[in-house]
Every structure is written in C-alpha cells, then in structure tokens.
Amino acid sequence: MIPGPFDYQVAGSVAEAIALLDQHGADAKVLAGGHSLIPLLRFRLASPAVLVDINRLRDLEYIQEADGTLHIGALTREVDLEASDLIRRRYPILADTARVIADPVVRNWATVGGNLAHADPANDHPATMLALGAQLVATGPSGQRLIPIEQFFTDSSFETTLQPNELLTEVRVPAPSERSGGAYLKLERKVGDYAIAGVAAYVILDGAGHVTYAGIGLTNVGPTPIKARAAEQLLLGSSLDDAVIAQAARQAAAEAQPVSDLRGPADYKRAMVETLTMRALRQARSRATGGA
Amino acid sequence: MSIHHIRVTINGKLYEGDVEARTLLVHWLRDGLRLTGTHIGCDTSSCGACTILVDGKAVKSCTMLAVQADGRELLTVEGLEQNGKLHPLQEGFHVEHALQCGYCTPGMMMAALALLKRNPDPSEQEIREGISGNLCRCTGYVNIVKAIQYAAQKLREPEQVPAGSGGGGE
Amino acid sequence: MTTTSAGPHVHGLGEPYKRKEDARFIRGKGNYVDDIQLPGMLYADIVRSPYAHALIKGIDISKALQVPGVVAIITGKDLEAAGLAWMPTLSGDTEAVLAVDRVLYQMQEVAFVVAESRYAAADGAAAVEVDYEPLPVVVDPRKALAPDAPLLRPDKKDRQPTNQIYHWETGDRAATDAAFAEAEQNGVVVRQDMYVPRIHPAPIETCGCVADYNAATGKLTVWMTSQAPHAHRTLFAIVSGLPEHRIRVISPDVGGGFGNKVPIYPGYVCAVVAALKTGRPVKWIEDRTENLTSTGFARDYHIHAEIAADKEGTVKALRVYTLADHGAFDAAAQPTKFPAGLFHICTGSYDFKHAHVAVDAVHTNKAPGGIAYRCSFRVTEASYLIERMMDTLAREVGKDPAEIRLQNFIKPEAFPYRSALGWTYDSGNYERALRLAMEKIGYEELRREQAEKRARGELMGIGISSFTEIVGAGPGKHFDIAGIQMFDSCEIRVHPTGKVLARIGVQTQGQGHETTFAQIIAAELGISPDDVDVEHGDTDTAPYGLGTYASRSTPVGGAATAVAARKIRDKARKIAAYLLEVGEEDLEWEPGRFYVRGSPSKGKTIQEIAFAAYTNCPPYLEPGLEAVNYYDPPNLTYPFGSYICVVDIDRGTGEVHIRRFLAVDDCGTVINPMIVEGQIHGGLTQGLAPALYEQLAYDEDGNVLGSNFQDYLIPTAMETPRWETARTVTPSPHHPIGAKGVGESPTVGAPQAIANAVVDALAHVGVRHIDIPITPWKVWAILKEKGLATA
C-alpha cells in the first residue's frame, strides 16, 4: 500500500499554514497526526495535491485553564490529554475519551484537533465535545472565529463547516462547575478499534440535585456524530434518578441512526446506545456528586 | 511530487538524503538506510511492527512520512544496544522467552521502551495497555509482559536482577 | 584430558535452555525476505481483480508502461504463451498464476508489474486498465451445487460440469446407521449444525520472495517465505521446467507461518518469471490486504454432527456430514490420500464403536485454499465438533460436561487404540489430564460459584475441552504432499574439535529449532547446545525434508535428529574402543563420554573421539564423524490435553470476559519446557482469536470483509488472558525420544473450551450452541431472546 504522489509543505507558523491553505484551496489537506490521513493516502482513497504539515506548530500544543474555560491547542497529542493532571482531575470525561482512542502508540502522535476536524463519526472526541458543549476556534486569513461544536459537523460524514482556508486551532470547553460530572464509554470489538457504539454524557446539577445542564453525544451510530437532544431534554430539571436515566437512555437509543456492518447489526448498536447511555449517566451522576 | 532533502539523527548518527514527499518513514529506514530491524506488518497503523521512537515518543513509522522526520531524533531497535551491552529490554526478551519468530519483537521493544520512560514501574495491566498497539502472533503476550517487568526492574535497580539461568545466545 | 566425574552438564532434554536464535532478533538483525536487497533489484506489485467473478475483456498496459520506473508488465496471456499460466495446487487442482480470461475471486492476480522501486511498481499497477464483464457470483457453498448455480470452473474439462470438487467418506456407514437406529429407540441422539468459519493465519510478516536468475550459470535462487523449501524447489522445477539442481530455495528468517506459508502462490511464480524476463533480481512482498484476501485461508467447514448414545450418555456412534468451501481453486495443503485432511480424527478422545464421516467440497467465488491454520490438516475442525457435541450430549442426559467426558474417555490401558475411523492412537491418559485440570482450576468450587451467581442473575460459564490431536505426518506410505512422501531428515557433522553443525529438513518460523534440535543432539552426544549450530531452510545445503507444519518438526525432524545423533554415537563407540584398546561391548556411555566398564577413569570424551575420527581413525573405518538420517515415522503421534475456561458475560453488552483459562497439555517427552510453554501461550492465543474475534467474511457480491487489521481482529495483549499452564507426560512409544509435538495443540483445543464456556453460561435457559466467532451481538441477541438482557 503505497501513497500516490503529492507535494508537501511544512508550515512554520499558523499564519503560514493558513496562507498555504488559502493558496491551494481544496487541493490541500492538513497533515496533523496523520493517523486517518496517511492510511487513506496509502489506500489511494484520497489524493490531495499537497499536504500542509502543521506538526511543527508547537504553539498549538497546550492544555490550560483560563477565565473559566479549558483551552486545548488543536495539535495537542492524545497522550498529553490522557496524561494531563488537570484533565484527569477536572475533566475526567476527556481522560476517558483520550485513553480509548486507537492505541497508545497511535495516541503519541494523533491530535485532538485532527480527531475533530476529520469529522469521522467513528472518532471519539466529537461525541464528548458535543456532550460538553465545546467551542472550536477556526483561524483563517481574516482572523479567528468561534464555532459551537453543534455547528461544526454537517449532515455528511467527513465534512465540517471549516472553510478550506481555515485551520482548527483550539478547542474550548467550559470549566466544570461545582456539581458537574461526565463520562465517556466506548464499546469496541477489541482495543484499538473504532466504537461499536460510544456515548459521552455530561451533567451539571444544582444545589438541590436537579439537572441544569445535560449533554449526550453518540459515537459511530450514524453518518455524523450525534447530539441526543431529546434525551438531554428529558434530563433537564430532573433529579437524575435511575428511572429518568433509563428513560433518557431509551431516548438516546431512539436518536441513534445505526446501520448494520462488521461492528454488529443495527438493533444491537441501538441497544448498546441505551446500555452505554445508562452507564455513562450513572457514572456522570456519581462524579457530579463527588464519586469516581 | 516533490523531493525534499532531510537530515535525521538516528541512533545518535546523522543521516541525510533526498526523499519523495510520499516516502513513508519506514521505507526510508529500511530501503534507503538499510536499517531493516524495523518491520512492516500492515497498512493501517494496526500492528505496530514498525514502531520506533521519534523525539523520545513511540511512533508507528508506517504512518509518518520520511520528510516529517527532518531534524528529529529517532531511535530504532538497532540503537538499543550500547557499547556492546544489551539494553535491559533486549535482555528481558531473551531471558523471559518473549519472542518466537522475532518479527514483532523490535516494534514491541520500542513500544515497551516508551512505556517505561513514561511509567518506570508499570502494573501488569499498564504493560498490557502499553503494548496494545503492537500485535504478536506467536507468544500470547504472557512472556512479553514478563520481559517488560524484568526490564523495568533492572532499569530501576540495575543490580537486583540475577542473570537468567542457563542459556545460549547471550 | 580425563574426566572422572559424571559427564559435563549438557542442557539436554527437559531443560529451559535460552534460545540461541534470539541474539539476532533482539538486535534487529534477523534476516527476513524483505530485508534482502540485491544489486539491480526490481520491485513488483500485482494488479488484482475488484470483482469476485468476471470475464476479462481486455487489459491495457500502455499507460502503465509509460509510468516512470516501470520496467516490465506480465499478464496472463504472456504466461499462457510460455505455458506458465496455470500451476498445480497441493491438492491436485490447477490454479491460475495470472488470470487469462476470467477472474474467480476478488483480489485474484491479473497482472504483475515490475519497476525500479516499490513506489514506481505501485504507480504502474494503478495505471493498468482492465476491462471486466461481471458475472453472477457463488458465495454461499450451500448454493454451489444447485442446478442453476453458475459454473465456476469451465477449465476443468475432465470433470463433470459442476462446482463439486469431491465427495469423500470414511467409516462404516451401515454399522453407524444401525447404532443410530438403536439409539433412537432405546437411547439418545443429539444433533447440531455448526459452522467453523473461514479465517486466516495472518502471520505478522506477510508472504514474499526475491527471485534471482543468473543467466551465466543457469542458476535460479529464490529467497521466499516458505515453510517447506525443498517441496517448493521440486514444484518450481516441475512447473518451470528448470533443472532442479539449478534451483536454490532459501527460506531465511520467517516472521511466522501458521500454515500460511505452506502453499506456492502466484506472486512467487511471477517473480521468477519476471527475473528470467528482465535478467534482474525481482522482489515481491505482499501487503496486508493481499495477504488476507488472496493467500491461504483456513477452515470454512459447514458441519452437521450427530452422536448416538445410551440413556446414561455412553457414546455409541458418531455421524458427521460436512460441506467444505475451498473457494475458486482447491488449494488445500494436505496429504494426497486425504482430501479432508485428518478430519476423521473427529471421534476425539472418546471410545466410539462406530463412526461415519462424509465430506463434500465445492468451489465458490472466494480465495483458494484451505490451509491448516496452526493445525494438522483439519484437526481443529474435528476437535471443535466433537468437543461441542460432547457438551450437547451432557446437557441431553443431564450430566456435567466433565462427567460425560470421564465416562467416555478411551481408557489408558486401551492404547495403542484403534479408532472407529481407522487411526491408531499411540498413547494417552485422558482422565489424568482432565482430573489435573479440574483440580488446578478448582472445578467444583467454580460450579458452586456459578450456581450462586445464577441465582443472583449473573452469567458465568465453565467450558472444558479434552482434545486429542494427530500430528507428525508421515508415515510416508500413507502421507505425501504432491506425491513426495512425508519423511524428514537431519545431517550431523561433528568437526575435529568436537563442535557440531547440524542441518535439518524442517524449517523454523519461530518454533526455536536452532535451540531444541541442538538440545536433542546435546542429549544424545553429551555436547553443549552452545557447541551445536543448527541450520535449515537452504535447499542447497540442508537435506531434503518436507518442512514445518502440522506439528511435524519434533515428531519427524526431531526423530531424524535423534537417530542421526545415535549413528554418530555408534561410530564414536567404535573409535573409542580402538583408542582405549577394548571391545565395544566393554564400553559404557555417559553424557559426553565413553569409559571402560569397571574403570570409570579410563575413557574418551566425545571431543577426543571426534578429533581422533579425523587424525587417528581406526584403519577399518571411514574417517570423519558425520551421519545422515531420513526418518519415516512408523505412525503419527497423538498429543492431547484438557483445557478449562471460565467466562463472565456482561448482560448489558453481550461481551464475553475470559476470567481464567487453564491448559493441561501432554505432548510426550518435553525437550525444552520454556519453549513448550511459549508455544502453548501462542497457540492458545490463536485459539482464542477464532473463538471470539477472527473471521474472513464475504458479502453477497463476493467482496471480502475484514481485509485488513482494522477489521480482521487479531487479539492484543488486552484481549488475551494470562494463560495458565500445566502438563502431564505420556511419552510416544514409537518416537526415539518419546516426543509428540506441541505447537498446534492449543490452537486445536482452545476454541471449543471458550465456546463451551459461553454456552455453559447460558445452558440453563436452553442454549445449546453459538457459532464462533462469539461476538457480543450474537450473545446479546440470545440474552434478548431469553429475557436476560439488561442495560
């Protein structure tokens, strides 16, 4: 499996990367971790004229909390997210997600931004970011703009609302409030696989234990990452008891759009969305109320 | 198509060459530089036979372009032995019988090396997770886990591990 | 030099001697086929069919020839002109080297592109334009024999116009049917359909070769991933017409074989043709997709099995019907006389008085095969069916699976045991192995725990597999590969200074022959394994052998090695008698030394004798100290074991978690316990794989699903449990050192232990069978049907 020919440009700065993207337009592909792109090139399923390598942009590798927001540089490697003390302590749902992406060697090089910008419904970060209500920073020739995560993916697989001359540069996640918690659960055929189904759940409770925010994102059970809006609505204002969790889990399953494939029949995947949503919400509740 | 001149430090030695943009790093190492200890087992970044260290991190060299390695420091299996002394991982793989056909072994050792750099005292579960990007068809992994435990202990307490009993080769 | 104590410690049989071959592998200095680079070498890439069945209307290579770096392109028509478009398979079929006018499976070889680099070859292959006319496909073997099924092999003009390859049966049908009639009246009959799916050995190193033809000397050298280099040399000679002494096949370090590297593949033949055509060395290396989709698959047996027993569960008769899917060409690698291999070992460890087996094999639009994936010619399918059926019988008569086995085992005193299907089992003690396994794992306690858990609604299962293997083919009278009898060989040269070079006809792919065969010689001659180098794989230097598969290295090659070493010792005795001026009958042997009976201080070491063989040889003997043995075994060997697996099932997801897996193996005499244990760990993992993960599936259009390692699921360290092992030792009475072979036992024995455990977890709700691979969704569907699914 040998890639077809292409040109290669290395970007020395974000501005340079954007200039290159602006110059080459749709003929260019951004090369970040490359763990989706390079296999596509090897199978000759993609044939960009030029790759714009952004791996030298060390200033896009950071994880920091400021002004009530978590800022993750788009080039942050999954391993750094997984190993970050801050993430493990304050954003366990992100640690949950990072540690089940592909395998540990892949995670050394794979990036958070790439996992989102490739817009593969089988990737894991989209569901988590949908649950968290993240915002994405797109940088283009005319500066930065913020894209709410639910406006980032289109109705088509592998497509985002990024312009060809824009680069995803940062992911922003609201810092956790006092009684908040989330979890990401992924069912896979074996380690390193894409999800049979994955569910990210995130809740914020008020002082009385009622849900003031609920986010549920689904992995690999539809043509795009899915935000289970109706299930979220069921949770809002509830006391997040087992009955409402079960009800929301059933609703999330109803919102999934799985198809039968090598990862199992559609009815199984739909049922797994229910199982995983139930388990993720229970864990989110536990974390929101001080448990692990 | 573009040709790029690259300078890469591999196992402490500087290599230079012209590569096509599309040249996979593993092909440059093997065909270009004749460093054939790094192997190829798949096309999908699944098997880990091609694992090397790039700037200290384990990377699958089939999923990186040679041109991306420009200016970086690489370590391949050929660089593990220093001054005629085997690395504790090499010793561990021999002593614990952690290899059979030997094909996955270099990649497995490099993944293990990266693991031990990050976590010098891993549990069995952490070792299993750490090598879960590397496939072995011969050993069933039990002895690979033991070999990595052997190396971990030896790296932590160089004098504590007794030499393996009886043995050919080493 | 005199030795007065017992001889030196020589690390012979039974010692965990560290492997001699490790030194190169741990340094990255192995020498695998793709590591070979010759001056002027070209690289090849293969154009393959996207269709499972199509006519080739035309091949346009003009654009491809313009691709920079492309040197030559070979098509089926070119080969046809040279009489090389077809080659014999190991099962008497003929297989297309490159398709001429018709492709019969997806990824079949259509054109061979040779270029200055891997990259140019790939570009050239991408530029070849092939005009196909798709034809209807046959994917389901159960439909292959329908009257309206498309005829896949019009080239087989000597046969009936049908997709049937063969019908084969063995055993006493009348007596078997009578036993069933009796059981229907007065006993019990259990029946089960089961499918042992198509899987692939998928060694981490794919197949490949480097072909180099020297026009000046007329010598062809082929480095190739071969488990049987001599047999391949002979086949190359027959196919190509080149004189066999001018063909040298070298199998260098091989990165795992597991049966995948037994057949000859079109790529090898094309590389040879390309080397002849271009006058330059040609390298061809498969990528992973090519490996999984076009080279030797395994299994693919649709089995219907029935047991007749009395009401107490004592077995009377076994009846089996199997439909075998061989794909487009019957390229099964197995002994000529037995089209279904050794499948008729399927009475297993149990004392069946009557049995009958029938097998129909058919062509479909799938890759050709099948080979034995770490197994001795269909033993895995056989063992799977009988071990599954014994569990089914146990349920039927209300007995514990352990009890039904203990009740029906062939008794130790019955060996040598003649089975109803004609095999003579050499030795065994099945009850001892099962009882040891039960004791080690705490069987009774596990059953109690299971009952408690069941009461709480938790699902836990315990599965047993008490398998019997049949390995080590020959004898040559009954077993041959493409006509060549299945003996094996060893040549030993003791150099004047007492160091030894041994060359063997079998070929390691990781089994550790360089160590274990040195240990056999060490044990026989009292020379340290460090002083014995073992070579293999080069047909110009190694004695003729049939290669390594079907666990035959130790039973056959190991026997040849022991016998050759004994010939050396016999001659050494003569030389020692001469040197010590005594009669041969006055000498005693201890490891490494002959001494005069009654005068232990008067002796000669093997090293002293070796020196004398070249410097002071008795005038009545030929000088030198060498021996060769070609060993034709009198019988096969029958390793066995009992495995117990404990699983827990997640009622929310259907996932199966293997909590424990204990393997008790009996492979007769153990040469190197470390290597044996390593073989068992690896084999168990390749038994786990098809039980829960691996399958090469096809869609209804004949597209291969699972054509790379993202979808063909090889277990990682995370899926693989920490294997527990133990052993009993029941030597083979006919093997020179009592060894039986072990590399494949665990792959043969493990899948059904796991399957039995999962079925056991669900037996209380009436589940009797789940086809492997047991995926979470198969289990979940049952949980749902039985009302056991929870979130």
Side-chain angles (χ1 to χ4, degrees):
Chain A
M1 290 287 169
I2 306 285
F6 51 76
D7 204 347
Y8 168 91
Q9 302 273 358
V10 59
S13 66
V14 170
E16 215 175 296
I18 288 157
L20 285 165
L21 292 176
D22 200 36
Q23 179 191 339
H24 295 285
D27 291 340
K29 273 271 183 198
V30 174
L31 175 63
H35 278 73
S36 296
L37 179 58
I38 290 179
L40 284 176
L41 298 172
R42 296 186 70 180
F43 282 83
R44 300 198 177 201
L45 295 171
S47 47
V50 58
L51 296 192
V52 176
D53 181 359
I54 61 167
N55 281 288
R56 310 274 166 174
L57 307 182
R58 295 300 304 270
D59 53 349
L60 290 185
E61 287 191 48
Y62 53 84
I63 302 166
Q64 63 203 32
E65 227 177 13
D67 312 324
T69 302
L70 173 70
H71 302 259
I72 304 170
L75 203 65
T76 300
R77 311 287 168 178
E78 300 292 358
V79 65
D80 295 325
L81 198 63
E82 184 185 354
S84 158
D85 241 15
L86 172 67
I87 296 298
R88 288 183 179 204
R89 206 162 22 87
R90 306 242 314 147
Y91 304 86
I93 184 176
L94 283 173
D96 289 349
T97 310
R99 64 193 294 272
V100 294
I101 291 169
D103 66 57
V105 178
V106 169
R107 293 199 291 274
N108 280 336
W109 199 239
T111 67
V112 178
N115 195 278
L116 288 164
H118 189 52
D120 184 340
N123 279 354
D124 298 290
H125 278 308
T128 299
M129 296 305 175
L130 282 167
L132 286 168
Q135 291 198 307
L136 306 184
V137 178
T139 306
S142 48
Q144 295 190 339
R145 67 182 176 113
L146 275 182
I147 310 176
I149 184 77
E150 54 271 44
Q151 289 165 28
F152 185 67
F153 306 108
T154 72
D155 292 338
S156 303
S157 307
F158 305 103
E159 194 181 87
T160 70
T161 54
L162 279 177
Q163 296 302 307
N165 60 4
E166 282 181 321
L167 187 68
L168 173 62
T169 50
E170 186 179 282
V171 182
R172 293 182 185 170
V173 173
S177 48
E178 205 178 328
R179 277 172 293 276
S180 66
Y184 181 66
L185 293 178
K186 175 183 185 177
L187 180 65
E188 51 191 359
R189 295 177 298 177
K190 60 168 241 186
V191 166
D193 191 19
Y194 291 110
I196 295 170
V199 174
Y202 188 71
V203 292
I204 302 175
L205 309 179
D206 65 16
H210 292 111
V211 176
T212 61
Y213 174 91
I216 297 176
L218 312 180
T219 300
N220 213 14
V221 284
T224 61
I226 290 171
K227 184 170 166 66
R229 292 172 198 278
E232 292 170 354
Q233 284 302 316
L234 281 173
L235 295 171
L236 282 178
S238 80
S239 59
L240 205 56
D241 54 50
D242 284 350
V244 74
I245 285 177
Q247 202 186 349
R250 272 195 300 281
Q251 179 56 41
E255 290 177 77
Q257 306 160 41
V259 292
S260 298
D261 60 17
L262 289 174
R263 289 184 180 79
D267 69 328
Y268 173 69
K269 293 182 182 181
R270 195 179 289 284
M272 290 309 100
V273 171
E274 183 175 343
T275 293
L276 296 177
T277 304
M278 183 109 86
R279 292 178 181 183
L281 279 170
R282 284 182 187 158
Q283 194 172 355
R285 178 177 66 190
S286 162
R287 282 173 172 168
T289 52
Chain B
M1 187 172 93
S2 55
I3 304 287
H4 301 262
H5 187 75
I6 57 174
R7 294 161 54 90
V8 186
T9 304
I10 305 170
N11 306 330
K13 189 177 155 196
L14 183 67
Y15 291 83
E16 281 191 64
D18 290 325
V19 295
E20 252 192 274
R22 62 172 168 164
T23 304
L24 300 173
L25 178 56
V26 70
H27 284 146
W28 187 59
L29 292 172
R30 290 180 48 80
D31 296 345
L33 307 182
R34 307 295 299 132
L35 292 168
T36 54
T38 302
H39 298 146
I40 301 172
C42 75
D43 314 300
T44 48
S45 319
S46 308
C47 80
C50 64
T51 305
I52 62 169
L53 297 198
V54 176
D55 292 339
K57 279 187 188 171
V59 169
K60 296 185 178 182
S61 62
C62 74
T63 312
M64 183 182 248
L65 305 173
V67 64
Q68 288 181 270
D70 187 25
R72 297 187 188 269
E73 285 205 19
L74 275 50
L75 185 70
T76 70
V77 65
E78 289 92 345
L80 282 180
E81 188 176 6
Q82 291 290 323
N83 306 317
K85 193 167 165 19
L86 289 177
H87 188 277
L89 274 165
Q90 292 173 302
E91 209 178 289
F93 270 66
H94 175 61
V95 169
E96 299 292 351
H97 185 37
L99 66 150
Q100 291 180 30
C101 82
Y103 199 78
C104 76
T105 309
M108 199 64 85
M109 290 194 298
M110 299 315 283
L113 181 63
L115 167 70
L116 295 182
K117 279 180 178 217
R118 207 168 59 236
N119 180 356
D121 189 12
S123 66
E124 173 172 349
Q125 191 58 22
E126 286 168 335
I127 291 173
R128 286 179 175 270
E129 279 181 40
I131 58 169
S132 63
N134 295 70
L135 300 177
C136 172
R137 212 57 170 145
C138 295
T139 66
Y141 304 104
V142 175
N143 290 348
I144 293 178
V145 171
K146 285 188 200 161
I148 296 169
Q149 287 168 334
Y150 174 103
Q153 191 183 342
K154 184 133 189 185
L155 286 164
R156 288 196 311 273
E157 320 159 38
E159 304 309 317
Q160 299 296 309
V161 181
S165 62
E170 297 312 316
Chain C
M1 183 165 80
T2 55
T3 310
T4 51
S5 64
H9 186 74
V10 296
H11 306 290
L13 303 183
E15 290 214 20
Y17 197 71
K18 305 296 180 214
R19 295 205 325 167
K20 289 159 65 81
E21 44 271 83
D22 288 356
R24 60 184 187 274
F25 295 128
I26 56 177
R27 292 177 169 88
K29 297 294 182 191
N31 185 37
Y32 302 92
V33 164
D34 198 17
D35 300 342
I36 291 162
Q37 203 172 61
L38 301 179
M41 189 173 77
L42 300 171
Y43 294 81
D45 207 330
I46 295 181
V47 178
R48 293 173 182 274
S49 170
Y51 296 103
H53 194 196
L55 294 177
I56 297 176
K57 309 300 285 184
I59 301 178
D60 184 353
I61 60 170
S62 56
K63 280 185 196 151
L65 283 170
Q66 300 302 313
V67 169
V70 170
V71 173
I73 298 174
I74 298 167
T75 65
K77 295 263 190 242
D78 299 330
L79 292 181
E80 195 173 40
L84 291 171
W86 297 86
M87 64 178 185
T89 70
L90 296 178
S91 285
D93 197 357
T94 50
E95 174 177 1
V97 177
L98 292 175
V100 178
D101 54 8
R102 174 190 293 264
V103 288
L104 288 167
Y105 62 97
Q106 188 180 54
M107 294 295 281
Q108 187 176 344
E109 299 82 356
V110 173
F112 195 76
V113 179
V114 183
E116 298 287 349
S117 71
R118 284 178 210 272
Y119 286 68
D123 292 346
V128 172
E129 293 175 346
V130 186
D131 183 14
Y132 296 99
E133 181 184 314
L135 296 171
V137 298
V138 178
V139 175
D140 184 345
R142 288 163 297 194
K143 295 176 182 165
L145 296 177
D148 59 342
L151 182 65
L152 302 187
R153 295 289 306 280
D155 59 292
K156 288 167 81 166
K157 295 190 177 68
D158 56 325
R159 313 267 180 98
Q160 296 292 316
T162 151
N163 292 321
Q164 178 139 20
I165 301 170
Y166 65 77
H167 172 85
W168 178 79
E169 48 186 272
T170 190
D172 187 334
R173 178 186 284 259
T176 303
D177 288 349
F180 271 89
E182 161 66 17
E184 295 280 9
Q185 292 295 315
N186 303 312
V188 297
V189 172
V190 289
R191 302 182 166 81
Q192 186 63 54
D193 286 319
M194 51 190 100
Y195 176 48
V196 185
R198 181 176 278 236
I199 54 176
H200 198 284
I204 305 300
E205 179 202 34
T206 60
C207 300
C209 70
V210 177
D212 183 27
Y213 181 69
N214 184 327
T217 61
K219 183 110 183 183
L220 172 72
T221 305
V222 189
W223 289 263
M224 60 188 277
T225 47
S226 172
Q227 293 179 231
H230 282 97
H232 286 171
R233 183 189 70 193
T234 300
L235 290 171
F236 270 128
I238 291 168
V239 171
S240 69
L242 291 170
E244 192 169 357
H245 66 302
R246 300 244 165 84
I247 301 174
R248 180 182 189 183
V249 173
I250 301 174
S251 190
D253 288 326
V254 175
F258 317 117
N260 187 211
K261 293 165 181 173
V262 173
I264 289 192
Y265 296 118
Y268 301 143
V269 178
C270 290
V272 169
V273 172
L276 289 164
K277 182 178 164 124
T278 61
R280 293 168 65 178
V282 174
K283 177 185 277 188
W284 166 70
I285 304 289
E286 284 177 337
D287 63 34
R288 177 55 59 190
T289 299
E290 293 177 298
N291 177 254
L292 286 170
T293 58
S294 69
T295 60
F297 74 88
R299 325 280 194 253
D300 216 346
Y301 263 31
H302 297 259
I303 298 169
H304 174 80
E306 304 177 339
I307 288 179
D310 67 18
K311 286 201 165 70
E312 294 304 308
T314 299
V315 299
K316 301 296 178 188
L318 175 71
R319 196 159 57 187
V320 178
Y321 173 72
T322 289
L323 181 63
D325 184 346
H326 284 262
F329 306 100
D330 181 13
Q334 58 206 3
T336 306
K337 272 191 192 173
F338 302 104
L342 312 184
F343 183 60
H344 47 308
I345 188 68
C346 58
T347 53
S349 307
Y350 310 101
D351 190 12
F352 283 89
K353 297 299 178 222
H354 308 288
H356 183 262
V357 173
V359 182
D360 280 301
V362 297
H363 287 302
T364 58
N365 289 116
K366 297 179 195 161
I371 52 83
Y373 164 167
R374 199 165 184 159
C375 127
S376 181
F377 312 122
R378 308 287 182 184
V379 178
T380 310
E381 293 90 322
S383 181
Y384 176 80
L385 88 83
I386 190 62
E387 288 304 306
R388 281 269 50 250
M389 289 306 290
M390 291 306 283
D391 264 32
T392 305
L393 177 63
R395 305 297 172 207
E396 184 68 25
V397 298
K399 289 192 171 175
D400 186 277
E403 188 186 349
I404 204 85
R405 285 172 168 78
L406 291 166
Q407 177 183 342
N408 285 294
F409 278 150
I410 298 162
K411 302 288 179 260
E413 58 274 18
F415 292 90
Y417 171 83
R418 180 82 175 168
S419 81
L421 292 171
W423 301 110
T424 302
Y425 295 19
D426 59 348
S427 63
N429 190 332
Y430 303 148
E431 179 170 346
R432 182 169 63 177
L434 178 54
R435 291 217 184 269
L436 179 62
M438 291 169 71
E439 178 199 317
K440 288 237 170 215
I441 205 155
Y443 189 77
E444 301 304 329
E445 180 52 37
L446 285 167
R447 283 289 174 206
R448 272 193 292 278
E449 181 192 343
Q450 181 186 36
E452 287 165 21
K453 288 210 157 141
R454 220 168 243 179
R456 292 202 300 269
E458 293 173 41
L459 297 176
M460 162 189 170
I462 306 154
I464 301 176
S465 164
S466 292
F467 64 94
T468 289
E469 265 226 293
I470 172 169
V471 307
K477 187 166 55 150
H478 299 297
F479 297 90
D480 67 80
I481 292 284
I484 308 164
Q485 295 191 353
M486 296 184 73
F487 58 84
D488 232 289
S489 60
C490 176
E491 173 198 293
I492 300 174
R493 297 181 183 177
V494 184
H495 299 324
T497 53
K499 310 296 181 189
V500 177
L501 174 65
R503 287 168 164 156
I504 55 177
V506 293
Q507 155 63 27
T508 186
Q509 313 118 42
Q511 293 89 342
H513 294 168
E514 291 167 41
T515 304
T516 51
F517 281 59
Q519 283 182 269
I520 293 172
I521 293 169
E524 296 293 338
L525 297 182
I527 295 173
S528 165
D530 252 355
D531 290 340
V532 181
D533 273 3
V534 176
E535 287 186 1
H536 50 81
D538 183 339
T539 60
D540 265 11
T541 56
Y544 204 104
L546 269 286
T548 293
Y549 42 85
S551 284
R552 62 187 301 283
S553 290
T554 296
V556 192
T561 303
V563 172
R566 286 172 192 179
K567 287 187 186 177
I568 297 272
R569 202 168 72 195
D570 287 347
K571 183 169 180 182
R573 177 188 290 271
K574 291 184 179 16
I575 297 171
Y578 172 76
L579 296 174
L580 294 164
E581 299 178 336
V582 295
E584 283 179 52
E585 65 284 358
D586 296 325
L587 291 177
E588 292 282 344
W589 169 257
E590 65 182 9
R593 181 172 175 270
F594 281 108
Y595 63 91
V596 179
R597 183 174 305 117
S599 309
S601 64
K602 207 175 163 219
K604 290 288 174 189
T605 66
I606 190 77
Q607 289 81 6
E608 289 170 317
I609 296 166
F611 197 69
Y614 295 87
T615 58
N616 182 24
C617 191
Y620 45 85
L621 288 180
E622 285 179 23
L625 196 54
E626 302 188 1
V628 181
N629 180 252
Y630 283 74
Y631 187 84
D632 185 3
N635 189 10
L636 297 119
T637 61
Y638 295 76
F640 60 94
S642 269
Y643 295 170
I644 301 182
C645 173
V646 185
V647 301
D648 298 294
I649 293 175
D650 184 329
R651 287 176 57 189
T653 62
E655 286 172 290
V656 172
H657 299 284
I658 297 180
R659 190 202 308 177
R660 289 184 69 189
F661 193 110
L662 172 74
V664 173
D665 272 282
D666 191 321
C667 59
T669 303
V670 170
I671 299 166
N672 182 323
M674 175 191 82
I675 286 180
V676 165
E677 191 180 39
Q679 289 279 304
I680 291 168
H681 290 164
L684 290 170
T685 308
Q686 287 193 323
L688 159 71
L692 297 184
Y693 303 103
E694 292 177 12
Q695 179 170 11
L696 264 184
Y698 285 72
D699 72 12
E700 57 190 18
D701 296 321
N703 297 306
V704 193
L705 310 171
S707 62
N708 59 56
F709 278 167
Q710 288 195 335
D711 284 321
Y712 191 78
L713 305 177
I714 309 273
T716 73
M718 293 294 282
E719 286 75 43
T720 307
R722 190 202 290 153
W723 305 113
E724 302 169 60
T725 59
R727 72 170 168 266
T728 59
V729 176
T730 310
S732 170
H734 66 75
H735 187 279
I737 60 171
K740 288 188 168 186
V742 73
E744 298 167 339
S745 290
T747 309
V748 168
Q752 52 271 25
I754 297 167
N756 286 348
V758 178
V759 173
D760 182 67
L762 298 162
H764 61 298
V765 292
V767 174
R768 291 293 173 266
H769 181 72
I770 307 171
D771 272 333
I772 56 171
I774 300 176
T775 58
W777 49 90
K778 284 184 192 170
V779 175
W780 179 82
I782 292 167
L783 296 175
K784 186 159 181 270
E785 182 199 326
K786 304 290 183 189
L788 292 173
T790 62

